[in-house]
Amino acid sequence: MTAIDLDSYGFPKSSGIFETIKTVDGAPIALGRHMRRAVESALELGIGIPSEEFIRSEVIRTLSENPHAIGRLRICLGQNLFHITHDSYAENTEPARLNFYSQTVIGSIHKMFPYDDRFALIEAANDEGYNDCVLFNDKNEITETATANLAFLIADQWVTPPITAGILPGVVRAIAIEECGVKVRPIHISEIPEVESAFMLSSLRIAQPISHIGDMKLKIGDASRDLEELIRSHSQPVSVG
């Protein structure tokens, strides 16, 4: 296989779409959902991708050759480009601390690389003592974080921003909506003081509680534990073979 030049984050020095998938003992979580999203993005962006049979065979080979108890499977697809890796992943066991990013950030419905702009957002948050940042659009509506979707408990209802706000249609977000009762609606930044509890939703984190947004401390109580348990119960690893 031809060697691919990679950037400092492990992405090909090119452009395209990618999927990041958590694995447990070599079994991916929601691989089918990830592949459907990749196919839809490829069609919309005019990117030719290999057959499903080829991708699945490469997933099986890569998982077999690079075993990890908890892993991060990354599949990158571009014009005449296919790159797949499986690395060890250290799970986040502590609640996340988020701040607000000070400028409007335009999101994308496609998960694309290069990903430098998103890593820069995380690094800016890290410099201020936070794990990630809450982003908003030009209507002052909450969108997502640099690397995750968001769910908020407001007035006893779990809610998440709509795709039309300018967010990535995350796989775990879809599970939370379809299987776990999370509702979709615009969330204005003026509603942040009303937030009781919150989660970062992503394919690696699955559902990570948020302890702080800026200086505001959030509750991690029964409602949070119940939602996390429900999301995780619908996000179980399934063998590829």
Side-chain angles (χ1 to χ4, degrees):
M1 186 176 291
T2 304
I4 295 175
D5 199 14
L6 304 177
D7 66 20
S8 59
Y9 300 111
F11 289 97
K13 288 184 176 180
S14 180
S15 63
I17 58 176
F18 74 99
E19 293 293 331
T20 300
I21 305 162
K22 185 177 182 179
T23 65
V24 180
D25 294 327
I29 294 174
L31 178 63
R33 285 181 180 265
H34 282 281
M35 288 298 93
R36 285 192 293 275
R37 182 173 67 178
V39 168
E40 289 173 1
S41 287
L43 287 172
E44 288 187 30
L45 297 171
I47 297 173
I49 63 174
S51 67
E52 180 181 357
E53 291 77 13
F54 174 82
I55 294 176
R56 283 187 172 270
S57 68
E58 284 298 292
V59 167
I60 292 170
R61 178 190 63 79
T62 302
L63 293 175
S64 176
E65 293 178 359
N66 304 278
H68 298 289
I70 305 294
R72 183 197 66 195
L73 181 69
R74 181 186 286 166
I75 303 171
C76 297
L77 302 157
Q79 296 293 6
N80 303 311
L81 172 70
F82 177 81
H83 182 64
I84 182 170
T85 57
H86 186 232
D87 300 305
S88 178
Y89 175 68
E91 293 193 274
N92 294 296
T93 57
E94 297 296 322
R97 296 174 60 94
L98 308 184
N99 66 352
F100 270 100
Y101 190 63
S102 59
Q103 302 176 42
T104 298
V105 175
I106 305 301
S108 173
I109 61 171
H110 304 295
K111 196 171 179 70
M112 303 179 69
F113 67 92
Y115 211 53
D116 304 52
D117 57 336
R118 293 288 165 150
F119 286 121
L121 292 172
I122 292 177
E123 289 165 7
N126 291 168
D127 288 344
E128 296 185 14
Y130 295 91
N131 305 112
D132 204 334
C133 52
V134 177
L135 306 178
F136 58 92
N137 62 22
D138 57 7
K139 296 179 181 179
N140 283 334
E141 295 170 340
I142 301 298
T143 56
E144 56 194 354
T145 77
T147 59
N149 292 129
L150 289 163
F152 300 105
L153 183 63
I154 301 175
D156 296 324
Q157 174 66 65
W158 286 103
V159 294
T160 190
I163 293 172
T164 52
I167 68 169
L168 181 77
V171 166
V172 175
R173 172 186 176 276
I175 290 171
I177 294 166
E178 296 168 15
E179 308 290 349
C180 307
V182 175
K183 303 299 182 184
V184 178
R185 71 165 176 85
I187 304 167
H188 196 267
I189 59 172
S190 62
E191 295 183 73
I192 286 298
E194 301 171 28
V195 172
E196 303 166 45
S197 303
F199 277 99
M200 295 175 69
L201 306 177
S202 76
S203 296
L204 292 177
R205 291 179 176 84
I206 307 300
Q208 182 182 9
I210 298 169
S211 65
H212 291 78
I213 298 178
D215 294 330
M216 187 176 80
K217 183 175 176 58
L218 302 184
K219 182 179 180 181
I220 302 176
D222 290 343
S224 294
R225 286 186 284 270
D226 289 347
L227 181 63
E228 180 177 2
E229 182 180 349
L230 190 57
I231 292 174
R232 290 184 181 278
S233 71
H234 287 284
S235 306
Q236 294 299 307
V238 178
S239 175
V240 185

